[in-house]
Amino acid sequence: MPNDIRIIEVKRSIFDDNDKDAARLRAELKEKQVFLLNLMSSPGSGKTTTLLALARLLSGRIRMGVLEADIDASVDAEAMAAAGVKSIQIHTGGMCHLDADMTRQGLYEFGLDDAELVILENVGNLVCPAEFDTGAVKNMTILSVPEGDDKPLKYPLMYEKCDLLVINKMDVLPYFDFDLEKAAAYAKARNPHIEILPISAKTGEGMEALAEWILCQVASWREG
């Protein structure tokens, strides 16, 4: 066997190229003063319900828009539009994540003059989305009570990459074997700097605190 065979680390190259593109996108958004928040979670955690509740709370406080990413369908974008929130649907063509260039295409189709805050509802998945930098200023993940408190142990990268962990569906906590303190400890073990907010998007519990967290992040970013 020849010993001069070249081995190309394709995965590393893809990530390196995407990281550079993501940095360029952040610079573009900074120039246009558009704050991009990347929201990730598993399917069914309550991403869209949380965004609808946020839209109501943030109305009149900041101009908000939503990018909805899915492999197919436009159900979530239609739900946002019906609530009066400007949104655009991104179909990933079978891919389980968005990268920086896909995010940029969605943003420019959306129109960067129409929002101060754009929330990207990434594809429902706890693995692939965490691997790709979208160009967002901050990353947020939702863990719902029915999913179990052990998700930070099973999907560590998601929690390592996120600035905020939202624990949703607190209204059903009495009916599930979910230990809030354990979930928080597991997440903190992966990322000591992660902030944690328990909410119920359905009842409104904790939603004002989430809205305030987002507004504070936007204000700090503008001043920085």
Side-chain angles (χ1 to χ4, degrees), residues 143-191:
L143 169 62
S144 66
V145 166
E147 294 175 74
D149 52 35
D150 59 353
K151 288 298 177 290
L153 298 177
K154 295 180 177 180
Y155 304 95
L157 186 62
M158 176 61 69
Y159 300 89
E160 291 168 9
K161 293 289 186 179
C162 283
D163 303 283
L164 177 67
L165 164 59
V166 170
I167 300 180
N168 191 23
K169 304 187 182 180
M170 289 296 292
D171 52 302
V172 300
L173 186 62
Y175 309 105
F176 287 88
D177 185 17
F178 185 99
D179 189 317
L180 186 60
E181 291 185 2
K182 280 186 179 180
Y186 294 153
K188 288 283 188 180
R190 298 302 185 184
N191 178 0

Side-chain angles (χ1 to χ4, degrees), residues 11-68:
K11 188 174 182 182
R12 180 180 300 170
S13 175
I14 290 171
F15 287 158
D16 286 347
D17 289 345
N18 183 71
D19 288 348
K20 292 173 184 175
D21 195 23
R24 287 192 293 269
L25 179 55
R26 263 188 292 276
E28 294 169 29
L29 294 174
K30 182 71 172 180
E31 183 177 344
K32 294 179 180 295
Q33 288 292 283
V34 176
F35 185 100
L36 178 63
L37 174 64
N38 180 28
L39 171 57
M40 300 177 283
S41 77
S42 61
S45 66
K47 292 191 296 298
T48 304
T49 305
T50 300
L51 290 180
L52 288 168
L54 273 175
R56 291 190 292 270
L57 286 170
L58 293 175
S59 179
R61 300 161 79 179
I62 192 169
R63 288 182 293 128
M64 171 184 160
V66 176
L67 298 184
E68 295 284 358

Side-chain angles (χ1 to χ4, degrees), residues 40-219:
M40 300 177 283
S41 77
S42 61
S45 66
K47 292 191 296 298
T48 304
T49 305
T50 300
L51 290 180
L52 288 168
L54 273 175
R56 291 190 292 270
L57 286 170
L58 293 175
S59 179
R61 300 161 79 179
I62 192 169
R63 288 182 293 128
M64 171 184 160
V66 176
L67 298 184
E68 295 284 358
D70 280 299
I71 292 174
D72 205 344
S74 57
V75 175
D76 292 340
E78 290 169 7
M80 298 304 302
V85 181
K86 182 174 180 182
S87 60
I88 190 169
Q89 185 74 50
I90 302 174
H91 285 165
T92 64
M95 298 180 71
C96 59
H97 67 276
L98 286 186
D99 60 21
D101 186 57
M102 294 160 71
T103 303
R104 178 186 285 104
Q105 291 179 54
L107 285 167
Y108 279 86
E109 281 292 324
F110 176 89
L112 292 178
D113 295 329
D114 294 329
E116 300 166 285
L117 165 68
V118 177
I119 301 180
L120 167 61
E121 183 177 344
N122 215 315
V123 180
N125 190 307
L126 286 176
V127 181
C128 304
E131 295 184 323
F132 286 84
D133 190 341
T134 61
V137 182
K138 294 289 180 178
N139 294 310
M140 164 182 158
T141 186
I142 295 179
L143 169 62
S144 66
V145 166
E147 294 175 74
D149 52 35
D150 59 353
K151 288 298 177 290
L153 298 177
K154 295 180 177 180
Y155 304 95
L157 186 62
M158 176 61 69
Y159 300 89
E160 291 168 9
K161 293 289 186 179
C162 283
D163 303 283
L164 177 67
L165 164 59
V166 170
I167 300 180
N168 191 23
K169 304 187 182 180
M170 289 296 292
D171 52 302
V172 300
L173 186 62
Y175 309 105
F176 287 88
D177 185 17
F178 185 99
D179 189 317
L180 186 60
E181 291 185 2
K182 280 186 179 180
Y186 294 153
K188 288 283 188 180
R190 298 302 185 184
N191 178 0
H193 303 292
I194 197 169
E195 296 186 62
I196 301 170
L197 283 176
I199 70 162
S200 169
K202 182 178 180 180
T203 67
E205 175 188 350
M207 286 303 304
E208 180 58 35
L210 177 55
E212 286 294 336
W213 184 88
I214 292 172
L215 291 172
C216 286
Q217 298 303 315
V218 175

